[in-house]
Amino acid sequence: MTTAAPAVPAGGALWRLAARVCPVTGLTLNRDSERLVRWNAVAAVVFFLVGVVAALLLALTRWQAVHLLEPVWYYRILTLHGLNMLIFFIIFFEMAVLYFAGPVMLGARQPAPKTAWLGFWLMVAGALTVNAVIFMGRADVLFTSYVPLRAHPAFYLGIILFAVGALIATSLFFAAMVVARRERSYEGSVPLVTYGALTAAIIAIITLLHGAAIYIPTFLWSLDIGTVDPQVYRMIFWGLGHSSQQINVAAMVSIWYLLGGLTVGAVVVNQKVSRWAFTLYVLFISMASAHHLLVDPGMGPAWKIWNTSYAMYLAVLASMIHGFTVPAGVEMGMRLRGFVKGRFEWLRRAPWSDPGFSGFWLSLVIFGFMGGITGVTQGTEQINIIVHNTLRVPGHFHVTVVGGTALAFMAVTYYLIPLVFQRRVRFWAMAKWQPYLFAAGISLLSMSMTFAGSFGVPRRHADITFPEAPFTLEFPPVVDVLMAGIGIGGTLAAIAVLMFVAIAVGSVFFGEKVDLAAPGPDARGIPQGILRLPPQTHSAEASAAAHEAGTPGTLVLVFVFLAVFILYYFTNWKVLSMIWKMG
Amino acid sequence: MELISGLVPARGVWWRPANRQERLWIAIAFVWCLVLFAMMPFWHLKGGQNPTGIRSRVDPAAFAERTLRFAEEYGIGDDHGVPLVAPPPGAEVYLLGQMWRWYPALQLEEGVTYTLHLSALDVNHGFSLYPANLNLQVVPGYDYGLRITPNKAGEYRVVCNEFCGVGHHNMLGRIVVVPAGTKVAAAATAPGEETR
Ligand code: HEM
Ligand SMILES: [Cu+2]
Ligand SMILES: [Cu+2]
């Protein structure tokens, strides 16, 4: 990808002296951005570790036969898990993605590095504050902190600090884009990956504004200033809470395109289509809170239907488009490299032992097949009646933000370690099957949750034997098996994350330095896409032929997907039609 | 038009029509999205389960007051510390969530339609009817009145499925549905002896 290095150095380019040009990708990495990517990624991994220890404890508590934690600690650890995973881990990593996809991919400098570091340390301070308050037992309110449940003011303050820091980092992404354009560090339109990151950043700004709108009044309320209506809280909270999931989706899809290119030379089948699909995410984002409120008393059916469907499912359409263009790009890229036999040679011959590729592909499949289908179905106004606050809900989002986003983040880390940290990936043999173990564990966890939820097993529940309740309730025996599935699947997934943390920390702090210009004969710890970067550009003739040949394999995959979707969706309507009449 | 990966800046005019297969998929996906959308209004017209209800704001204390009056009026006995209440067919029925119990226990008749009013005294609670698996959010300050029709006689439980504090997992209520036409007094004998 020699095209990324500009021919004409821009004015005042002192920073270039300290920058380095990546021998593999040709990208110019300025010192500041590189460091910011590193530190944000490291912080992400630290909070991931906290979150996963919590996850293990939770999984072993919901496994009713083990039932590890006392109720108070179950709720406390649940609060801890939600915040460290969904907020701190994910957002720190996203900041790393923004610093990479902005200034680095555009070959520009980092504008205002001091401000960037201020943002980083605000985020660290906020996250540490929140964790401290939770451990002190002053915030047993779960990550949603629905008022009038009340936490110590420092809890809300910590979240506000964290959000301000994230706001700074996100603003600097826009600044970097402006600077890159003004200093002409690239030609043409920004790469698709950067475009995707741009949509993530726009959504992040909208999200953070919702966050301010809800956390500032709630912080004041916790100091006995003013009031907060519980229903209004739920609505605006989910304006923050769900929009932030859309950041995750946009960031994850960007990483799919990035890893597709790096691992197998995936191409962008059509720039217009893919960019439009990203844009659709932005347009309908503010409607995202509705599917959390489908069985709430505060809103009427018209509001619910219009908003839960993001104006007639146009955001779903966007995901279905990426669900086609991402595998189609892989197929077309592989066909261009000569894997043209039959419908599926391109898939069979993909580099399955490269964790960057396997993690990316598993993330795509898990997110699409399991996450997407369950999400749209459960977010249907009426179907939500048989879903709301049962284990079907965490069953759904552990195959979106965990099996999808977190797995994509882990997969891209295997490439960041050599490319940005300039180290070999340690424990390489383990790294090769880490994505598979994680995918298996999280799938078992989620499917068990989903089925248990369809028996009415509640989420966020310390003990479904109801030991001190006035009445008894015994779930059918199959629920015991499903709860064991949560325990076992959760343990497997947690082990896989611990493996990942060991690999990441081991490589970054104790790994062997590697010069990618001359890695030597020892290929251990260097993913195949870095050893031999697949072609990133193709001639006009080859491209025309590739379009002519099309992507017959992907077509089969998406129709299988659609069939499963239709079946699952209408099965749920059928089940709904059998419960009490209600209206 | 040269194909490039997502890492490379797109030069020249990339605003080109999609190829045949992409267009096909987008068209199919769009139609499916319209089906997904249409199902919801359709179910309001033809389906039997909708979360619409009669919704209004209410002062939590006033709702609690009304629930107490309701329990007094139609109470037929005690059921593990809460009254067992058997409202007449078609009645307005009140169920209050509070830390950490559902008040009162209800006895309803199969095939009869009631208006079930749900609200909370203190924090959010979750109404989850077991084993029917019917779930609704219960928010303090809001009266959620839903017309419900029990379709099967038997023992039901009301699980709280919204976190409401350390006693959350012990918040369990009871609804018993008696076969159509059962006399209230008959069902009131030995209320809930077999339930504990
Ligand atoms: C090893 C991986 C993981 C395992 C085994 C795991 C397991 C669990 C379990 C058992 C629960 C409790 C469900 C309940 O009782 O209601 C839970 C909740 C949750 N998890 Fe995970 N999880 C994992 C990773 C993640 C990640 C990476 C994220 C986010 C990026 C995440 C986000 C959440 C959230 C938001 C909740 C809900 C918290 C609440 O209800 O307040 N999890 N998880
Ligand atoms: Cu409750
Ligand atoms: Cu509760």
Side-chain angles (χ1 to χ4, degrees):
Chain A
M1 233 183 34
T2 47
T3 49
V8 200
L14 253 183
W15 62 272
R16 280 188 189 279
L17 296 178
R20 70 181 177 90
V21 174
C22 173
V24 177
T25 59
L27 293 173
T28 307
L29 287 91
N30 74 76
R31 264 265 193 61
D32 296 314
S33 303
E34 190 174 17
R35 268 197 213 128
L36 285 159
V37 173
R38 289 183 184 180
W39 280 76
N40 278 283
V42 166
V45 171
V46 170
F47 290 106
F48 200 16
L49 179 61
V50 179
V52 79
V53 172
L56 188 59
L57 297 174
L58 294 176
L60 292 178
T61 304
R62 295 302 316 245
W63 186 355
Q64 198 67 39
V66 180
H67 204 251
L68 189 62
L69 297 178
E70 289 298 306
V72 172
W73 275 98
Y74 164 79
Y75 295 123
R76 197 162 292 163
I77 295 297
L78 189 57
T79 310
L80 190 80
H81 175 67
L83 282 156
N84 279 290
M85 287 299 203
L86 198 64
I87 312 292
F88 305 146
F89 153 58
I90 287 280
I91 295 184
F92 267 117
F93 203 95
E94 276 157 0
M95 297 307 122
V97 170
L98 289 186
Y99 284 120
F100 186 83
V104 172
M105 286 196 62
L106 297 178
R109 65 186 167 87
Q110 176 64 46
K114 289 220 178 78
T115 317
W117 286 109
L118 173 70
F120 175 79
W121 290 111
L122 277 176
M123 288 171 70
V124 171
L128 291 179
T129 308
V130 169
N131 274 293
V133 181
I134 294 172
F135 271 114
M136 283 154 57
R138 306 298 294 277
D140 294 336
V141 292
L142 309 193
F143 83 99
T144 44
S145 56
Y146 291 138
V147 302
L149 286 176
R150 195 176 193 135
H152 190 276
F155 173 79
Y156 308 104
L157 190 63
I159 292 176
I160 292 171
L161 288 181
F162 184 85
V164 171
L167 193 61
I168 291 176
T170 311
S171 313
L172 287 175
F173 172 82
F174 296 109
M177 288 197 67
V178 173
V179 167
R181 169 132 292 239
R182 188 164 345 115
E183 298 179 0
R184 301 200 186 180
S185 70
Y186 65 99
E187 283 173 52
S189 309
V190 299
L192 180 62
V193 172
T194 306
Y195 188 84
L198 171 65
T199 59
I202 294 172
I203 297 168
I205 297 287
I206 300 172
T207 300
L208 290 164
L209 294 179
H210 283 112
I214 197 61
Y215 275 106
I216 292 170
T218 308
F219 170 59
L220 293 174
W221 165 79
S222 75
L223 296 169
D224 289 321
I225 303 169
T227 57
V228 179
D229 181 86
Q231 181 72 78
V232 173
Y233 178 92
R234 279 173 59 77
M235 184 169 86
I236 303 179
F237 176 83
W238 284 113
L240 156 79
H242 201 87
S243 308
S244 73
Q245 302 317 303
Q246 223 76 5
I247 314 176
N248 303 339
V249 173
M252 171 186 70
V253 176
S254 306
I255 287 179
W256 288 348
Y257 284 110
L258 177 72
L259 281 174
L262 287 174
T263 58
V264 293
V267 294
V268 182
V269 178
N270 186 297
Q271 297 278 351
K272 181 176 75 172
V273 169
S274 293
R275 283 171 203 241
W276 251 111
F278 272 120
T279 310
L280 285 176
Y281 282 147
V282 179
L283 293 181
F284 301 105
I285 187 60
S286 295
M287 305 176 143
S289 84
H291 66 250
H292 294 261
L293 313 175
L294 292 174
V295 293
D296 271 35
M299 298 84 184
W303 185 91
K304 287 175 179 174
I305 292 177
W306 182 251
N307 286 285
T308 193
S309 70
Y310 298 82
M312 306 210 280
Y313 289 105
L314 292 181
V316 172
L317 180 65
S319 285
M320 287 179 74
I321 293 175
H322 289 305
F324 179 90
T325 59
V326 172
V330 170
E331 176 169 4
M332 205 172 262
M334 287 292 279
R335 284 179 185 275
L336 278 161
R337 293 168 65 201
F339 301 99
V340 292
K341 269 196 238 116
R343 276 183 190 269
F344 286 114
E345 195 201 10
W346 60 276
L347 193 56
R348 273 199 319 276
R349 299 281 302 278
W352 292 105
S353 61
D354 173 357
F357 179 80
S358 64
F360 145 57
W361 192 266
L362 290 167
S363 159
L364 171 68
V365 171
I366 293 176
F367 182 89
F369 267 82
M370 297 163 75
I373 290 176
T374 55
V376 173
T377 305
Q378 301 183 4
T380 303
E381 189 201 6
Q382 294 91 346
I383 292 175
N384 195 251
I385 296 169
I386 55 171
V387 173
H388 183 68
N389 275 353
T390 69
L391 273 178
R392 288 184 74 175
V393 175
H396 154 69
F397 63 71
H398 281 82
V399 276
T400 53
V401 71
V402 190
T405 309
L407 182 50
F409 287 3
M410 290 192 273
V412 79
T413 305
Y414 293 120
Y415 273 70
L416 290 181
I417 289 170
L419 288 177
V420 175
F421 292 90
Q422 296 171 280
R423 312 259 174 186
R424 284 183 199 273
V425 179
R426 282 203 78 176
F427 313 121
W428 184 233
M430 188 161 89
K432 285 181 180 175
W433 50 277
Q434 188 270 344
Y436 296 98
L437 181 64
F438 182 76
I442 217 70
S443 303
L444 177 60
L445 172 94
S446 287
M447 292 210 290
S448 306
M449 282 179 165
T450 299
F451 284 113
S454 57
F455 287 96
V457 179
R459 70 183 287 202
R460 303 181 147 182
H461 203 277
D463 194 344
I464 54 167
T465 63
F466 306 91
E468 285 154 41
F471 306 104
T472 57
L473 188 168
E474 240 175 82
F475 285 101
V478 60
V479 166
D480 289 331
V481 179
L482 294 169
M483 299 315 270
I486 294 176
I488 295 165
T491 305
L492 293 178
I495 291 173
V497 173
L498 292 174
M499 282 161 53
F500 168 78
V501 173
I503 293 165
V505 172
S507 312
V508 167
F509 293 105
F510 311 104
E512 186 191 328
K513 271 249 170 208
V514 62
D515 177 10
L516 292 177
D522 182 7
R524 226 170 1 96
I526 306 177
Q528 54 83 36
I530 294 180
L531 281 177
R532 231 171 301 100
L533 184 73
Q536 304 288 310
T537 56
H538 299 275
S539 70
E541 304 82 70
S543 304
H547 269 296
E548 200 48 48
T551 52
T554 300
L555 219 51
V556 173
L557 296 182
V558 293
F559 279 109
V560 171
F561 163 80
L562 188 64
V564 175
F565 198 164
I566 292 173
L567 188 69
Y568 185 79
Y569 181 71
F570 284 109
T571 305
N572 273 275
W573 281 110
K574 177 73 198 158
V575 173
L576 175 72
S577 72
M578 297 187 304
I579 69 169
W580 293 12
K581 286 240 180 333
M582 178 187 127
Chain B
M1 183 71 209
E2 294 90 2
L3 283 166
I4 56 172
S5 82
L7 282 79
V8 185
R11 303 215 220 157
V13 182
W14 47 260
W15 191 262
R16 298 290 174 92
N19 75 23
R20 200 165 22 89
Q21 288 165 339
E22 268 186 309
R23 283 206 305 270
L24 173 70
W25 176 248
I26 294 171
I28 291 174
F30 184 64
V31 171
W32 175 237
C33 287
L34 292 181
V35 172
L36 293 174
F37 182 70
M39 275 306 290
M40 292 187 284
F42 168 76
W43 203 260
H44 276 281
L45 294 175
K46 298 280 178 199
Q49 295 80 13
N50 287 290
T52 312
I54 307 153
R55 294 159 287 105
S56 60
R57 284 185 187 252
V58 68
D59 173 47
F63 188 90
E65 176 72 17
R66 210 181 301 160
T67 308
L68 276 178
R69 257 190 284 126
F70 160 75
E72 262 163 35
E73 190 168 354
Y74 303 119
I76 55 169
D78 173 83
D79 195 356
H80 297 92
V82 289
L84 179 66
V85 181
E92 306 280 317
V93 176
Y94 293 86
L95 185 62
L96 176 73
Q98 66 184 109
M99 291 170 169
W100 290 287
R101 66 172 187 178
W102 293 104
Y103 185 97
L106 299 170
Q107 175 177 303
L108 308 176
E109 214 176 287
E110 184 184 346
V112 170
T113 301
Y114 303 85
T115 304
L116 173 65
H117 292 268
L118 296 169
S119 193
L121 183 63
D122 33 45
V123 297
N124 278 272
H125 297 278
F127 174 92
S128 177
L129 187 70
Y130 180 84
N133 198 17
L134 190 163
N135 305 280
L136 298 159
Q137 185 77 19
V138 182
V139 183
Y142 290 79
D143 177 350
Y144 204 174
L146 290 139
R147 304 190 36 88
I148 54 156
T149 317
N151 64 2
K152 203 163 148 231
E155 277 290 334
Y156 292 84
R157 293 290 176 271
V158 183
V159 177
C160 177
N161 72 358
E162 182 59 84
F163 175 68
C164 54
V166 283
H168 164 57
H169 51 281
N170 283 315
M171 182 162 165
L172 192 61
R174 175 177 182 231
I175 295 180
V176 54
V177 176
V178 295
T182 311
K183 283 279 157 298
V184 163
T189 52
E193 253 329 293
E194 70 291 1
T195 62
R196 174 81 240 185

